[in-house]
Amino acid sequence: MKYADVILPLALPRNYTYAVPPEMEATIQPGSRVAVQLGKQKKYAGIVKSIHEQAPSAYKTKPIMDLLDKEPVVYPTQLAFWEWIAQYYMCNEGDVLNAALPAHLKLSSETILLYNDAFGDDFSSLDDYEYLLAEALLLRKELRIGEVQLILDRSDVYSVIKQLIEKKVCLVYEELKEVYKEKKENYILLNPAYEGDEALAPLFDELSRAPKQMELLLAYLHLLKTQGEVLQTELLKKSGASAAQLKGLVEKQILRVDKRTVDRIPMGKVETNMNFDLSPAQEKALAEVKASIAQKQVTLLHGVTSSGKTQIYVKLMEEALQSGKQVLYLLPEIALTAQIIRRLQKHFGGQIGIYHSRFSNNERVEIWNKVKNGEIRIVLGARSSLLLPFRDLGLIILDEEHDASFKQQEPAPRYHARDAAIYYASLFGAKVLMGSATPALESYYNAKQGKYGLVELQERFGGIAMPEIEIVDLKKELALKEVIHNFTSVLRQQIQRSLDMKKQVILFQNRRGYAPFLLCTTCGWIPNCKQCDVSLTYHKHQDKLSCHYCGTRYPYIYTCAACGSQTLLPKNFGTEKIEEDLQEMFPTARIARMDMDAIRNKDSHNKMIQLLEQQEIDILVGTQMVVKGLDFANVNLVGIISADSLLSYPDFRVNERAFQLMEQVSGRSGRRDGQGKVVIQASNTRHPILHFVTEHNYKAMYENEITEREQFGYPPFFRLVKVTLKHKKQQTVEQAAMILANWLRPHLGAQLVGPAAPLVGKVRDFYLQEMLIKLPRDSKRITQVKNLMKELFSQLLIEKQFRSVIIVPDVDCVQ
DNA sequence: AGCACGCCGACT
DNA sequence: GTCGGCGTGCTC
Ligand SMILES: [Zn+2]
Ligand SMILES: [Zn+2]
């Protein structure tokens, strides 16, 4: 008898073992998607991790119900990768499956209630609830659990349903149905009997009394001649004919409708255009990268902004393709713009697949399958495309490798695509090339240590100068009363100058909304979120107060809840306020705002970029979003409204992050002519980071920071695991954290920091406690401590008072 | 993630 | 008293 260990799309601590029915033995494989039952009736699609002959002794197995596909949906490589992610990032394989598999390949059954017609309609034996449900069911014939909850207006509906089943009023079944649907399109074919002009001639006579059909036929013949194949939708649209007229021609057997399965992700021609030349600096860097790749698994390309890293990637991608391997090009979701897509498509045509959150679930399934069967040679995608089922990966490119969005925050698996990519690549024997103008300290350290290869490209493409940076003293200007609406005279003049020159301006402010909080000027009260310990941000556009931690929105309030006076004022400023002030100061300028709120609907990000390209926007105000990937020739001024807020986060990475941000956003200025200017407004103009930014001196920043990291035991010298505990009661979570820390401390000593409440101590009505565990870079020790942690977590959860404490480990946490 | 079971507060 | 919410445990 064979058994299969099955990964289910649930947060289960281990995989479940099912019996393989004899008839399935020949076809089932690791990676196969199977339908299994879990519990009394629920069915799920799970993935077979392994097949073996060890009968479990502790429980009796259920059989696998169904093999869902002809082919496995992942290769053993992916199963190995999932196992590593689960182990390294301290989560379940089910979590990984959930993140990896497209939604439409993940199935779970739905309970459906059916009316038992044999029961008749005598409801006299039923109580009120039963009567209500029975009547609804008689009317609707079938109901889902959610509908029953609405009808009965209560969440616990199972007791009522159970009664109705017992009384034989209803039947219940579990439906596990495929959700992925192939896309079908109707092609119109000409009856072969009418092929050729001679055969067609009698048709025109025949149709002389149906002029509309004649018209349609002529339109069809025209399309057939020009395009070879004719789609029904296109024919009707172009000819203006109705479906009825088409039906007429079909009934006369002149035309035929052929329903075909079509690709949602059509692959274009496999062609490669390398019609560009590298600069001598790029050539040199390319040669060095190649030499490095030959020796090391991972190479870091440190190239200043606008140095032409993408062209180097393109050359390397071409080489990988030529050796028959697949390529993965990862970049931050926000940098995955139409611009870069077009650019790569120009070079690689139809071999590229794009993968990001904008695709529909059906499209994702098709991309998944095309990556698996090798039709897609290159994937250009954000973090989650690392989890695609590559068949033979040769190269992973990680652009903007310093970017924090490569780390998944919520939910598990909280993986870092940079680190996970290195492991994934190793499974294929593939190479990894990471690129950035401002590498993560960890990466640069690894490169300097010789663990990674290091290639430096210090010259902007075309020998263009780096932008000139001016630090403006906010305090001094404030004293001189020169600051209007957070804009110093220097920044205002520079903006005016750019506008006069018909150039474009990018302004950076790291908070969205209008004001981060409201303040009662009479008593000092600040409106907070009901569920979170945080002030509400004022969004003027929506006229709402909104919590940036839980997303709850509240109507704007005018009256102070503490003293009753109507003296609430917006305090501090976000992008909306900047936008408004700009409009006031530069009334004729065309101003746009780019932040999470502004690009909420689907295509607005790309549209805004297009407007910028076409110079329909003069000034762009934005958050982090304006920092990445934007490449506009006409921008000659970048303004950072407040460097102070960037430099004052309570995070050991503040300086690194602030430098990266300012250097990257600076890089948007003067990308073609080298006449770029950057104005940074700051109160503390002496901050060392500002000087490093002024000099574009990454290495000085690195040297400065790395010493501190070593001294205080932070990455790259130590790995960090952040453990967050959550509970509805503050006292419970504090006690739990204290107890857990006391258990851990003997093993860790000073390598345990905390526990303490985070800055925002309550989110969504859960009180939080955090502790930080610092682990030396020694994989044995790391595994040992992780195992200890897991053990202590379960020990804590055994105690009845702490059962409902939620423990969230975050390995290699960022911030 | 469901779903069953059991304990406890609040309405008839 | 019972109804219904919610916390807790279990699913191969
Ligand atoms: Zn007040
Ligand atoms: Zn909130």
Side-chain angles (χ1 to χ4, degrees):
Chain A
M1 188 66 182
K2 295 219 169 175
Y3 297 90
D5 289 346
V6 176
I7 309 172
L8 291 164
L10 306 170
L12 298 170
R14 37 166 293 135
N15 296 325
Y16 283 179
T17 305
Y18 287 85
V20 179
E23 69 275 13
M24 226 181 267
E25 275 185 20
T27 42
I28 196 167
Q29 296 173 56
S32 292
R33 209 165 52 116
V34 289
V36 294
Q37 193 175 69
L38 181 69
K40 279 202 172 150
Q41 43 187 15
K42 208 79 196 156
K43 296 173 200 163
Y44 289 95
I47 287 187
V48 174
K49 168 124 184 242
S50 59
I51 296 163
H52 54 84
E53 300 201 6
Q54 291 162 274
S57 51
Y59 49 87
K60 68 175 193 340
T61 53
K62 288 192 169 102
I64 290 175
M65 303 170 80
D66 227 336
L67 184 60
L68 292 168
D69 319 88
K70 286 199 199 84
E71 302 277 320
V73 294
V74 290
Y75 298 109
T77 319
Q78 279 82 40
L79 293 173
F81 187 37
W82 292 3
E83 185 178 274
W84 178 84
I85 292 178
Q87 192 270 326
Y88 185 87
Y89 290 103
M90 302 181 77
C91 65
N92 310 297
E93 284 184 75
D95 291 326
V96 187
L97 181 151
N98 261 326
L101 222 55
H104 277 185
L105 291 181
K106 288 185 280 185
L107 314 176
S108 68
S109 66
E110 195 168 18
T111 308
I112 293 175
L113 302 187
L114 294 173
Y115 190 75
N116 181 11
D117 288 321
F119 182 79
D121 51 9
D122 176 13
F123 293 163
S124 54
S125 65
L126 306 181
D127 74 13
D128 289 355
Y129 275 120
E130 291 163 19
Y131 180 83
L132 202 61
L133 179 52
E135 209 179 39
L137 206 49
L138 179 60
L139 210 71
R140 304 263 297 272
K141 293 299 168 202
E142 55 173 74
L143 290 172
R144 273 129 226 275
I145 296 290
E147 297 171 314
V148 177
Q149 285 169 332
L150 286 176
I151 289 164
L152 300 186
D153 189 28
R154 56 188 269 188
S155 57
D156 182 19
V157 293
Y158 300 103
S159 52
V160 182
I161 292 170
K162 213 170 150 187
Q163 282 302 307
L164 285 187
I165 294 169
E166 256 167 45
K167 293 179 180 172
K168 302 218 174 355
V169 181
C170 82
L171 309 162
V172 55
Y173 84 102
E174 285 288 321
E175 186 183 50
L176 184 76
K177 65 169 182 218
E178 285 291 350
V179 271
Y180 166 70
K181 288 251 166 29
E182 288 183 331
K183 187 176 173 185
K184 303 277 187 189
E185 268 180 315
N186 287 339
Y187 280 84
I188 308 299
L189 307 180
L190 180 66
N191 185 339
Y194 297 115
E195 261 165 41
D197 291 348
E198 276 169 51
L200 273 170
L203 261 187
F204 296 129
D205 293 336
E206 192 188 327
L207 285 176
S208 59
R209 277 193 292 159
K212 287 287 177 195
Q213 289 185 12
M214 173 85 94
E215 230 174 82
L216 176 57
L217 181 61
L218 288 172
Y220 171 77
L221 292 170
H222 176 71
L223 279 175
L224 187 65
K225 211 165 149 190
T226 50
Q227 306 185 353
E229 290 207 293
V230 183
L231 263 171
Q232 176 178 317
T233 44
E234 204 187 344
L235 173 63
L236 293 180
K237 205 173 123 202
K238 290 216 168 134
S239 66
S242 68
Q245 288 153 10
L246 179 62
K247 207 175 154 210
L249 288 175
V250 172
E251 274 167 5
K252 286 182 182 145
Q253 305 211 342
I254 299 167
L255 297 180
R256 231 185 59 211
V257 178
D258 184 23
K259 192 171 204 154
R260 293 186 203 161
T261 302
V262 294
D263 274 354
R264 288 188 176 86
I265 310 293
M267 301 306 289
K269 242 192 273 162
V270 177
E271 55 183 353
T272 311
N273 302 312
M274 290 292 126
N275 47 356
F276 63 89
D277 293 317
L278 297 180
S279 70
Q282 285 175 312
E283 285 288 3
K284 182 165 170 281
L286 177 62
E288 286 175 29
V289 170
K290 280 186 190 169
S292 165
I293 279 181
Q295 286 185 9
K296 309 230 157 144
Q297 200 219 338
V298 184
T299 299
L300 174 65
L301 172 60
H302 175 213
V304 296
T305 55
S306 203
S307 57
K309 290 188 286 292
T310 313
Q311 289 174 317
I312 295 175
Y313 301 154
V314 167
K315 290 280 188 196
L316 292 161
M317 289 160 78
E318 191 212 2
E319 262 184 32
L321 288 184
Q322 296 224 314
S323 60
K325 309 267 188 177
Q326 289 172 299
V327 174
L328 170 60
Y329 187 138
L330 283 170
L331 74 186
E333 170 115 34
I334 201 67
L336 186 49
T337 58
Q339 254 181 341
I340 180 75
I341 294 171
R342 249 185 281 126
R343 223 171 136 185
L344 289 187
Q345 276 172 343
K346 201 175 76 194
H347 296 307
F348 299 109
Q351 312 170 71
I352 302 185
I354 320 287
Y355 199 67
H356 54 66
S357 59
R358 295 277 149 83
F359 282 112
S360 77
N361 285 326
N362 280 327
E363 286 168 330
R364 284 158 189 250
V365 172
E366 293 189 15
I367 297 168
W368 179 275
N369 288 331
K370 282 173 195 274
V371 171
K372 191 173 62 132
N373 68 25
E375 239 184 289
I376 291 180
R377 310 299 306 158
I378 302 175
V379 172
L380 174 62
R383 181 181 63 225
S384 62
S385 46
L386 184 65
L387 298 168
L388 287 169
F390 289 91
R391 185 155 79 168
D392 190 9
L393 197 52
L395 174 68
I396 299 179
I397 287 169
L398 227 123
D399 197 18
E400 312 280 4
E401 68 74 47
H402 63 278
D403 199 276
S405 75
F406 283 123
K407 178 71 161 71
Q408 170 143 326
Q409 300 285 3
E410 202 68 28
R414 297 176 178 77
Y415 64 105
H416 201 308
R418 191 208 306 140
D419 303 329
I422 294 171
Y423 182 80
Y424 197 34
S426 76
L427 293 173
F428 290 98
K431 303 293 180 172
V432 178
L433 175 63
M434 313 193 300
S436 174
T438 53
L441 246 58
E442 288 92 329
S443 303
Y444 203 70
Y445 175 80
N446 282 331
K448 291 198 86 168
Q449 293 291 303
K451 197 175 160 200
Y452 304 164
L454 176 62
V455 177
E456 306 262 5
L457 180 55
Q458 296 299 352
E459 187 182 299
R460 273 188 149 188
F461 184 75
I464 280 164
M466 296 297 285
E468 180 205 328
I469 293 181
E470 180 171 357
I471 313 277
V472 182
D473 191 334
L474 263 171
K475 268 194 256 164
K476 208 187 271 174
E477 287 238 347
L478 272 169
L480 295 168
K481 301 219 183 329
E482 285 282 11
V483 180
I484 306 177
H485 294 318
N486 303 304
F487 285 77
T488 57
S489 60
V490 179
L491 185 50
R492 291 198 312 274
Q493 282 157 19
Q494 288 294 335
I495 293 172
Q496 191 58 57
R497 178 171 163 269
S498 287
L499 293 175
D500 292 343
M501 292 167 72
K502 303 269 179 257
K503 292 284 188 175
Q504 291 167 295
V505 179
I506 291 178
L507 295 176
F508 171 83
Q509 166 60 20
N510 62 334
R511 313 190 94 133
R512 62 194 168 92
Y514 189 87
F517 61 98
L518 297 182
L519 175 73
C520 172
T521 48
T522 310
C523 75
W525 179 74
I526 295 171
N528 273 354
C529 179
K530 284 200 184 77
Q531 305 177 71
C532 314
D533 258 357
V534 71
S535 69
L536 295 170
T537 302
Y538 172 37
H539 288 254
K540 197 167 186 177
H541 269 265
Q542 310 157 19
D543 192 30
K544 287 262 154 60
L545 299 177
S546 132
C547 172
H548 285 186
Y549 278 77
C550 70
T552 311
R553 299 203 297 178
Y554 300 79
Y556 188 80
I557 48 170
Y558 297 91
T559 313
C560 171
C563 74
S565 45
Q566 302 217 332
T567 49
L568 286 167
L569 277 187
K571 283 287 161 185
N572 220 321
F573 55 96
T575 45
E576 281 186 16
K577 170 92 164 83
I578 299 292
E579 185 190 18
E580 185 184 280
D581 295 341
L582 276 169
Q583 201 70 72
E584 191 191 314
M585 293 187 291
F586 305 98
T588 57
R590 294 162 299 177
I591 297 161
R593 175 168 53 89
M594 189 188 274
D595 55 30
M596 290 284 260
D597 302 313
I599 64 152
R600 205 138 268 173
N601 33 354
K602 272 213 161 168
D603 216 30
S604 40
H605 187 224
N606 275 329
K607 274 194 194 129
M608 208 175 286
I609 287 172
Q610 206 182 338
L611 286 176
L612 275 157
E613 261 178 339
Q614 297 162 348
Q615 300 183 28
E616 304 277 336
I617 293 173
D618 301 315
I619 307 176
L620 179 72
V621 187
T623 52
Q624 315 275 339
M625 226 159 269
V626 301
V627 177
K628 284 163 221 164
L630 300 184
D631 182 11
F632 305 113
N634 204 42
V635 173
N636 78 337
L637 174 65
V638 163
I640 294 169
I641 310 286
S642 166
D644 306 317
S645 56
L646 294 175
L647 290 162
S648 59
Y649 282 107
D651 172 6
F652 71 91
R653 277 188 248 255
V654 250
N655 287 348
E656 179 189 355
R657 288 259 179 285
F659 178 86
Q660 284 163 343
L661 216 135
M662 289 191 267
E663 184 61 26
Q664 293 277 348
V665 74
S666 301
R668 307 304 115 205
S669 183
R671 286 173 80 85
R672 294 294 182 279
D673 58 7
Q675 307 286 304
K677 172 109 188 151
V678 179
V679 173
I680 301 177
Q681 303 188 137
S683 300
N684 178 11
T685 56
R686 297 253 183 90
H687 198 292
I689 289 297
L690 292 177
H691 289 276
F692 301 143
V693 173
T694 315
E695 293 166 4
H696 301 287
N697 195 344
Y698 173 81
K699 279 176 196 158
M701 184 282 292
Y702 172 81
E703 295 300 341
N704 196 61
E705 287 304 303
I706 203 79
T707 350
E708 297 216 344
R709 297 286 178 89
E710 184 161 26
Q711 195 180 341
F712 295 106
Y714 280 114
F717 301 95
F718 283 81
R719 318 214 79 151
L720 299 181
V721 182
K722 183 169 75 180
V723 180
T724 306
L725 282 76
K726 310 183 188 186
H727 196 268
K728 295 229 172 195
K729 290 200 200 91
Q730 186 167 14
Q731 204 198 350
T732 308
V733 74
E734 281 172 2
Q735 271 177 16
M738 198 56 81
I739 289 170
L740 186 60
N742 285 341
W743 289 346
L744 282 164
R745 199 163 288 115
H747 303 270
L748 295 167
Q751 287 169 14
L752 173 72
V753 183
L759 214 58
V760 174
K762 188 181 73 165
V763 174
R764 287 175 200 272
D765 280 329
F766 277 87
Y767 288 91
L768 309 180
Q769 285 282 310
E770 282 179 358
M771 60 191 93
L772 206 58
I773 291 154
K774 296 178 173 177
L775 298 170
R777 287 165 55 112
D778 161 7
S779 60
K780 274 213 184 91
R781 168 78 176 153
I782 292 174
T783 314
Q784 184 201 344
V785 175
K786 279 181 190 165
N787 287 338
L788 173 74
M789 284 164 69
K790 275 185 210 157
E791 206 175 292
L792 296 180
F793 292 166
S794 39
Q795 222 175 88
L796 184 76
L797 296 179
I798 289 171
E799 310 223 354
K800 49 200 168 307
Q801 39 176 331
F802 300 132
R803 293 258 156 108
S804 50
V805 174
I806 299 167
I807 305 176
V808 183
D810 185 359
V811 178
D812 295 337
C813 57
V814 294
Q815 76 182 335

